[in-house]
Amino acid sequence: MPEERSSGDPADRPTGSPAPDESASGELGRGLLGAGIAVTAWSTGTILAKYIDMGALAIGVYRFAIFGLGLSLWLRFRGVRIDLRVLRASMWGGIALGADIALFFSAVKETSIVNATVVGSLQPIVVGIVAVRFFGETIRRSDALWAIVALVGTITVVASSAGDEATSLRGDLLAVGALFAWSAYFVASRRAKGVLTPSEFTAGTSLWTAAICLPIGVAAGQDLSFPSLENLAWLAVMIVVAGIVGHSLMNWSLQRIPLWVGSTFTLFIPVASSILAWIILDEAVSVVQAVAMAGVIGALAVIVRGQTKTPAGEATGG
């Protein structure tokens, strides 16, 4: 028998094929790009919601039901079935995402949107702890400091737009619940690696989310009648942008980048939402907000650059 070589031996690779480190580095770069595009797509959600004359939970039901069923049909066409195996493996992710929508919706009814958004911005701290403790990821001190800079900048952007909305401890606690649910969704996406493909996980969690939002929407007294043609059209835009581009691409990216990095990218969502609101809705942006936005973008850029200069195994904790 011929002598066995390790998979890293150059003799085992076809001529012209990239070395393992080069291949992993390319995957990391694509994952970082994908996560950046995903959070930018998610930032359109608050803008698009202004054009949809439906309650938040009703939007959740139809948005995720149509998206989940559509993605399932597309996968079936490609020979992949969304069966009980997929639904079981994606259950916790779907429960987490559905709980996030329901808890955040309840939170903004009882406390200010600013409070709820600021609490939600703490997600990278929760996910970072989980990533280090349970996934063996390493967060360098410099990266942690830049992540804090981005966090402070995001909170400044949100807080600078504060109005006279009423707040309450109950609402703030509901926002904390949404924070942990949103964090759990990211963790579930990463745990699905090797068990489900990103598309299977996205389809399964979407169906679970719709199923969870439905009874909660009924209990909340929301109108769950079928959307009008105009609302359906805007829902389709939201499904394409926030669903296909946002959720699908982030779940794909979380299989290629450190979990804490994907979570830190979410700090860009309020920044991008404010920029889009300024461009599309002509909402004012103060000097303080503009400076804070620049700080968030700069801090995230430094983190991304640091990841691309880090060996792939060290960056992912693998």
Side-chain angles (χ1 to χ4, degrees):
M1 293 180 64
E3 181 181 355
E4 292 185 355
R5 301 187 184 94
S6 67
S7 59
D9 192 323
D12 285 335
R13 296 194 302 271
T15 302
S17 65
D21 285 350
E22 294 175 350
S23 178
S25 178
E27 284 289 284
L28 175 64
R30 287 188 287 273
L32 291 169
L33 177 61
I37 295 173
V39 294
T40 303
W42 276 341
S43 70
T44 65
T46 54
I47 306 297
L48 293 172
K50 290 181 179 291
Y51 295 97
I52 302 176
D53 186 21
M54 298 171 64
L57 289 169
I59 291 176
V61 171
Y62 285 101
R63 167 188 169 185
F64 285 100
I66 295 172
F67 177 42
L69 290 172
L71 183 55
S72 298
L73 289 174
W74 180 77
L75 288 172
R76 186 70 184 91
F77 178 75
R78 293 172 58 89
V80 179
R81 294 183 60 183
I82 302 302
D83 52 18
L84 288 177
R85 176 190 67 86
V86 174
L87 292 177
R88 280 196 299 267
S90 63
M91 180 180 69
W92 292 114
I95 291 175
L97 185 56
D100 170 58
I101 293 174
L103 288 168
F104 189 84
F105 163 76
S106 301
V108 296
K109 276 186 166 296
E110 300 197 32
T111 191
S112 68
I113 293 178
V114 171
N115 278 24
T117 305
V118 167
V119 170
S121 297
L122 301 177
Q123 192 224 37
I125 296 176
V126 177
V127 174
I129 293 172
V130 173
V132 172
R133 178 66 180 83
F134 296 101
F135 291 91
E137 295 184 359
T138 301
I139 304 177
R140 295 171 300 190
R141 182 175 300 177
S142 59
D143 285 334
L145 290 174
W146 282 113
I148 291 173
V149 170
L151 175 60
V152 171
T154 299
I155 292 175
T156 302
V157 170
V158 175
S160 296
S161 63
D164 297 324
E165 299 169 282
T167 63
S168 75
L169 177 60
R170 175 182 166 83
D172 292 341
L173 290 175
L174 287 168
V176 171
L179 160 67
F180 283 103
W182 183 227
S183 301
Y185 173 68
F186 269 63
V187 173
S189 178
R190 183 56 181 269
R191 285 180 61 86
K193 183 177 182 179
V195 179
L196 297 175
T197 66
S199 294
E200 288 174 331
F201 179 80
T202 303
T205 53
S206 296
L207 294 173
W208 277 110
T209 300
I212 290 167
C213 287
L214 179 60
I216 297 176
V218 171
Q222 289 204 2
D223 181 6
L224 296 175
S225 57
F226 195 76
S228 65
L229 288 178
E230 182 179 356
N231 285 334
L232 200 57
W234 284 114
L235 276 172
V237 175
M238 181 178 283
I239 288 168
V240 171
V241 179
I244 297 176
V245 179
H247 284 281
S248 296
L249 199 51
M250 179 57 82
N251 289 329
W252 177 84
S253 297
L254 286 174
Q255 307 302 315
R256 292 161 173 81
I257 63 176
L259 177 60
W260 74 267
V261 173
S263 176
T264 303
F265 268 44
T266 63
L267 294 174
F268 183 65
I269 296 175
V271 174
S273 294
S274 297
I275 294 173
L276 288 173
W278 173 61
I279 295 173
I280 299 173
L281 304 176
D282 199 28
E283 292 188 3
V285 174
S286 67
V287 175
V288 172
Q289 283 179 303
V291 172
M293 288 177 190
V296 174
I297 294 171
L300 292 177
V302 173
I303 291 174
V304 169
R305 185 174 181 181
Q307 290 299 304
T308 58
K309 289 186 175 182
T310 303
E314 179 184 343
T316 60

